[in-house]
Amino acid sequence: MNIHDLEAFIAVVETGSIVGASARLNLTQPGVTRRIQNLEDGLATALLDRQSKPLKPTASGREAYEHGRRVLRSLEDLKAGVSPQGEVKGEFRLGIMPYLSDAALALPLDTLRAAFPQLTLRISSGWSPRLVEQVARSELDAVAVCLAEGVTPPDELVRDDLGLQSVLLVASPGLGVPRPADLASLSRFPWVMNENGCGFRAFIRQSFEAARLPFQVGVEALSVDLRMSLVARGHGIGIVTPGAFADSRWRDAVEVIDCPDFKPQVRAWLLHRPPAGRLSRPIALFRDALFEGLQAPMPLVS
């Protein structure tokens, strides 16, 4: 089996196309195709479903991808271990769920880049359940996720607990949310929320359902700035991290809702498959910097 053939196959799976793999590997498209065919001939099985768009691995291809990723990581670990300079090189594929991106995409990434300048960061964003699946299948090297309290990540992963995370409830003063509010009064207003898959949205919906109260999403929007602008214009109640609230240009147009009996919280985790190998130091550095970034104080409710 040729390592270059394996690299080509992995590039196709991760980019979803021959064109994308060709650009990543700086190789012609026929060259990528030839390497995939060589690997399939060597394994005597089809690895790609060529009828799907984007290209997806077959069942055998998924198994080959997971094993192949571990092979390439072992080779990168070997190179790093015998390097005279001891520099960490190669890729670090990091998944971050949207809520944590406010804290993760500033100081932690700056710290990581400064400490490991030869490391190529490939950052992807997604909802926590999907990211957990991807790191378990070795599609990502590490993920920062939020899970509902009491939900623990899979046992086969290394799990670093980053603590409970809270959000602020915010609304336009003109919306007329009572002060202080309770769950019943909050149920009378629409909400401006992230898309389905957000852990906080699931927590809020479950809390309302448990109290047999309606939960109406008035607007779905992925961008924090867009959601805050919609909240400021009176389209509903929103949630925002303390850090995003402090930096928002809309902060003076909204008010923080005081709701003593309802405090949305989830637990943040940094997850990766063992062993971390050459990425053990980058993962540890990112974990510590992210933990520090998540310690932003909650603003006082006026």
Side-chain angles (χ1 to χ4, degrees), residues 7-302:
E7 288 175 335
F9 169 64
I10 287 173
V12 169
V13 173
E14 293 181 348
T15 63
S17 70
I18 299 294
V19 174
S22 172
R24 177 187 289 192
L25 299 173
N26 194 25
L27 190 66
T28 65
Q29 294 178 42
V32 172
T33 300
R34 186 163 53 252
R35 289 184 179 185
I36 299 296
Q37 292 171 341
N38 289 341
L39 186 62
E40 289 179 323
D41 290 344
L43 295 175
T45 187
L47 300 177
L48 293 173
D49 178 1
R50 289 169 172 79
Q51 302 304 312
S52 66
K53 300 293 181 182
L55 287 173
K56 295 184 182 297
T58 62
S60 297
R62 173 59 57 191
E63 187 75 13
Y65 173 82
E66 293 179 9
H67 284 291
R69 251 297 163 195
R70 288 194 285 271
V71 168
L72 294 186
R73 173 179 279 191
S74 295
L75 287 175
E76 290 169 348
D77 291 345
L78 175 61
K79 292 176 183 177
V82 301
S83 170
Q85 294 79 24
E87 287 187 291
V88 179
K89 300 180 180 179
E91 289 184 351
F92 181 14
R93 301 164 302 150
L94 182 62
I96 304 171
M97 64 92 62
Y99 166 82
L100 295 176
S101 63
D102 296 326
L105 295 181
L107 179 63
L109 289 187
D110 291 345
T111 303
L112 198 58
R113 289 291 301 142
F116 303 101
Q118 299 300 314
L119 193 63
T120 300
L121 300 180
R122 297 193 182 276
I123 299 169
S124 57
S125 179
W127 298 119
S128 295
R130 172 64 174 160
L131 293 178
V132 172
E133 291 177 2
Q134 288 180 296
V135 75
R137 293 201 300 257
S138 299
E139 294 176 9
L140 294 171
D141 298 311
V143 296
V145 299
C146 285
L147 302 175
E149 181 68 353
V151 176
T152 55
D155 290 338
E156 67 266 24
L157 299 177
V158 175
R159 302 168 290 181
D160 289 318
D161 185 350
L162 302 179
L164 283 173
Q165 307 302 316
S166 301
V167 289
L168 304 172
L169 303 179
V170 292
S172 165
L175 193 62
V177 179
R179 303 175 63 181
D182 57 20
L183 203 59
S185 63
L186 294 180
S187 71
R188 297 197 294 268
F189 297 91
W191 289 71
V192 178
M193 299 297 297
N194 244 325
E195 299 169 352
N196 261 325
C198 170
F200 279 106
R201 174 170 170 167
F203 176 90
I204 294 170
R205 185 190 70 247
Q206 292 164 6
S207 299
F208 277 62
E209 290 176 350
R212 298 188 176 182
L213 293 169
F215 175 58
Q216 176 197 352
V217 177
V219 184
E220 282 187 357
L222 188 58
S223 163
V224 175
D225 186 67
L226 176 57
R227 290 200 306 273
M228 283 290 285
S229 73
L230 291 166
V231 170
R233 300 203 303 273
H235 287 283
I237 299 170
I239 63 173
V240 63
T241 67
F245 177 79
D247 294 337
S248 176
R249 57 183 170 141
W250 304 101
R251 58 173 296 174
D252 294 331
V254 303
E255 61 182 7
V256 177
I257 300 170
D258 180 19
C259 187
D261 64 346
F262 182 57
K263 304 290 185 184
Q265 289 185 322
V266 295
R267 188 167 293 278
W269 300 86
L270 186 72
L271 311 174
H272 66 88
R273 285 186 65 92
R278 69 185 173 86
L279 293 176
S280 58
R281 287 190 294 137
I283 289 174
L285 182 64
F286 179 77
R287 176 200 63 210
D288 294 344
L290 178 57
F291 179 79
E292 181 180 347
L294 290 172
Q295 307 309 305
M298 297 283 283
L300 297 176
V301 178
S302 58

